[in-house]
Amino acid sequence: MIQSVDRAVRVLSALQGSRRMTLTELAGALGLPASTVHGIVKTLVGHGMVVQERGSTRYMLGPRVLLLGNVYLDTLELRSRTAPWAGELARRTGFAVRTGVLLVNEVVIIHHEPRPDGSRQMPEVGIVIPAHASALGKAITAFSAEAQKTAGEATPLRSMTGETLTDLAVLQSQWDDAAATGVASEMEEAVLGECALASPIFDAFDGVVGAIAVVVPATAWPVETSVREALRETARAISRELGAPGWPGPRVV
């Protein structure tokens, strides 16, 4: 690992988590000398990866990060394959639909299909949710030994609401259930008032590459069996388009 590159990535990650930080705060968070952090930040500023907040000594992520993120999304076959199916799933169920991929121990939303009721809704692409607190994360983790190992090493797990499950034994039971049924669930664990069902998506190598979910208001929970079946059918169809030999794929344990 190249030390300077590692430190630059750590600076970007710190700014992602805290939004805005001074050089002193960054140095303290990373355990590095202020002079070292200053040099890294100035270099990142020169490339547009970091910018200084106007009228302040604090720094934040720059516009080039957004550009790289958009390029990443445009190259994702999963996103392009998911979009039409997500729209159909939203129409069939009446709920918003998210597609996400796993990034270490978090899920990144790569596609968001709003509820088809015409109401004003915030775009969610790029939102990050702890894997253990989301149906998307549970659906992916159920089929990934590496993801389960990462969850075990991340203890204590972060609690997002009073409903967030942080007990590994309970989570393991939910992973087992998701592996058996192809559907994972979450009830107000990430956001109060919001529940979700998610199913895994597999590729031609029979590996889990993401998941698709219906987002359900707590007032409409639990959902009808038809919603669960529509979700499973959609995940199966997307996996088939990606070349998966079967659905759900094999559980990697």
Side-chain angles (χ1 to χ4, degrees):
M1 185 176 293
I2 299 174
Q3 187 181 66
S4 58
V5 176
D6 176 63
R7 288 176 172 178
V9 171
R10 289 172 61 198
V11 167
L12 294 174
S13 296
L15 290 174
Q16 174 203 345
S18 298
R19 305 300 189 219
R20 295 170 175 81
M21 300 177 75
T22 64
L23 290 174
T24 301
E25 290 169 340
L26 276 167
L30 301 177
L32 295 172
S35 58
T36 300
V37 173
H38 180 265
I40 295 171
V41 169
K42 288 301 182 184
T43 301
L44 291 171
V45 168
H47 288 282
M49 301 292 288
V50 170
V51 296
Q52 185 171 358
E53 187 178 39
R54 188 180 298 274
S56 169
T57 60
R58 296 183 298 177
Y59 291 85
M60 57 187 181
L61 295 178
R64 187 167 289 274
V65 174
L66 177 61
L67 176 62
L68 293 176
N70 286 335
V71 170
Y72 166 70
L73 289 174
D74 288 342
T75 60
L76 274 182
E77 183 182 10
L78 175 60
R79 185 171 187 250
S80 63
R81 295 283 187 177
T82 297
W85 290 102
E88 178 61 23
L89 181 60
R91 286 188 289 273
R92 288 178 65 183
T93 63
F95 299 123
V97 176
R98 293 173 180 154
T99 303
V101 296
L102 194 65
L103 177 62
V104 189
N105 57 0
E106 297 177 313
V107 170
V108 181
I109 306 303
I110 62 169
H111 181 75
H112 170 229
E113 192 69 36
R115 289 188 310 276
D117 59 7
S119 62
R120 185 176 181 181
Q121 299 164 62
M122 293 294 291
E124 297 183 354
V125 173
I127 287 178
V128 177
I129 311 171
H132 68 278
S134 71
L136 287 167
K138 292 177 185 179
I140 298 171
T141 303
F143 292 88
S144 171
E146 183 178 352
Q148 293 183 28
K149 179 182 177 183
T150 299
E153 294 173 345
T155 52
L157 295 171
R158 181 158 51 115
S159 181
M160 303 292 290
T161 73
E163 303 301 320
T164 307
L165 297 177
T166 57
D167 187 315
L168 276 177
V170 177
L171 284 169
Q172 184 66 62
S173 176
Q174 291 202 350
W175 297 333
D176 292 343
D177 183 64
T181 64
V183 179
S185 64
E186 169 262 308
M187 293 169 281
E188 301 188 87
E189 295 178 45
V191 178
L192 289 176
E194 180 181 287
C195 304
L197 287 176
S199 287
I201 297 171
F202 300 85
D203 63 7
F205 301 99
D206 243 357
V208 61
V209 292
I212 187 167
V214 288
V215 185
V216 184
T219 52
W221 190 266
V223 296
E224 297 179 359
T225 301
S226 59
V227 174
R228 177 182 291 261
E229 290 308 309
L231 174 65
R232 286 168 50 88
E233 290 170 13
T234 301
R236 182 184 292 109
I238 297 171
S239 298
R240 186 184 303 118
E241 283 202 5
L242 290 172
W247 188 94
R251 188 177 186 190
V252 181
V253 294

Short mmCIF file of all heavy atoms in Angstrom, two decimals, residues 6 30 32 100 160 189 215 224:
data_model
loop_
_atom_site.label_atom_id
_atom_site.label_comp_id
_atom_site.label_asym_id
_atom_site.label_seq_id
_atom_site.Cartn_x
_atom_site.Cartn_y
_atom_site.Cartn_z
N ASP A 6 -2.91 6.20 0.50
CA ASP A 6 -3.74 5.75 1.61
C ASP A 6 -4.20 6.93 2.46
O ASP A 6 -5.37 7.03 2.84
CB ASP A 6 -2.95 4.75 2.47
CG ASP A 6 -3.72 4.32 3.71
OD1 ASP A 6 -4.79 3.70 3.54
OD2 ASP A 6 -3.26 4.61 4.83
N LEU A 30 -7.40 11.70 11.99
CA LEU A 30 -6.57 10.73 11.28
C LEU A 30 -5.31 10.35 12.05
O LEU A 30 -4.60 9.42 11.66
CB LEU A 30 -6.17 11.29 9.91
CG LEU A 30 -7.32 11.64 8.97
CD1 LEU A 30 -6.79 12.24 7.67
CD2 LEU A 30 -8.16 10.41 8.67
N LEU A 32 -2.58 12.17 12.35
CA LEU A 32 -1.43 12.57 11.56
C LEU A 32 -0.98 13.98 11.92
O LEU A 32 -1.79 14.78 12.41
CB LEU A 32 -1.79 12.53 10.06
CG LEU A 32 -2.12 11.17 9.45
CD1 LEU A 32 -2.63 11.34 8.03
CD2 LEU A 32 -0.90 10.26 9.47
N GLY A 100 -29.13 -1.13 -4.56
CA GLY A 100 -27.91 -0.77 -3.85
C GLY A 100 -26.81 -1.79 -4.02
O GLY A 100 -27.06 -2.96 -4.36
N MET A 160 -28.92 3.14 14.45
CA MET A 160 -29.48 4.29 13.74
C MET A 160 -30.77 4.79 14.39
O MET A 160 -31.04 5.98 14.44
CB MET A 160 -29.76 3.91 12.28
CG MET A 160 -28.55 3.38 11.53
SD MET A 160 -27.29 4.64 11.27
CE MET A 160 -28.14 5.69 10.07
N GLU A 189 -35.33 0.34 11.00
CA GLU A 189 -34.00 0.19 11.57
C GLU A 189 -33.03 1.28 11.12
O GLU A 189 -32.07 1.58 11.81
CB GLU A 189 -33.43 -1.19 11.22
CG GLU A 189 -34.20 -2.33 11.86
CD GLU A 189 -33.63 -3.68 11.47
OE1 GLU A 189 -32.39 -3.83 11.48
OE2 GLU A 189 -34.42 -4.58 11.13
N VAL A 215 -39.49 0.18 -0.71
CA VAL A 215 -39.46 0.99 0.51
C VAL A 215 -40.89 1.25 0.94
O VAL A 215 -41.67 1.86 0.19
CB VAL A 215 -38.71 2.31 0.28
CG1 VAL A 215 -38.59 3.08 1.60
CG2 VAL A 215 -37.33 2.04 -0.31
N GLU A 224 -48.59 -7.01 1.54
CA GLU A 224 -49.27 -8.21 1.06
C GLU A 224 -48.26 -9.16 0.40
O GLU A 224 -47.19 -8.74 -0.05
CB GLU A 224 -50.35 -7.82 0.05
CG GLU A 224 -51.47 -6.96 0.65
CD GLU A 224 -52.50 -6.58 -0.38
OE1 GLU A 224 -52.33 -6.96 -1.56
OE2 GLU A 224 -53.47 -5.91 -0.01
#
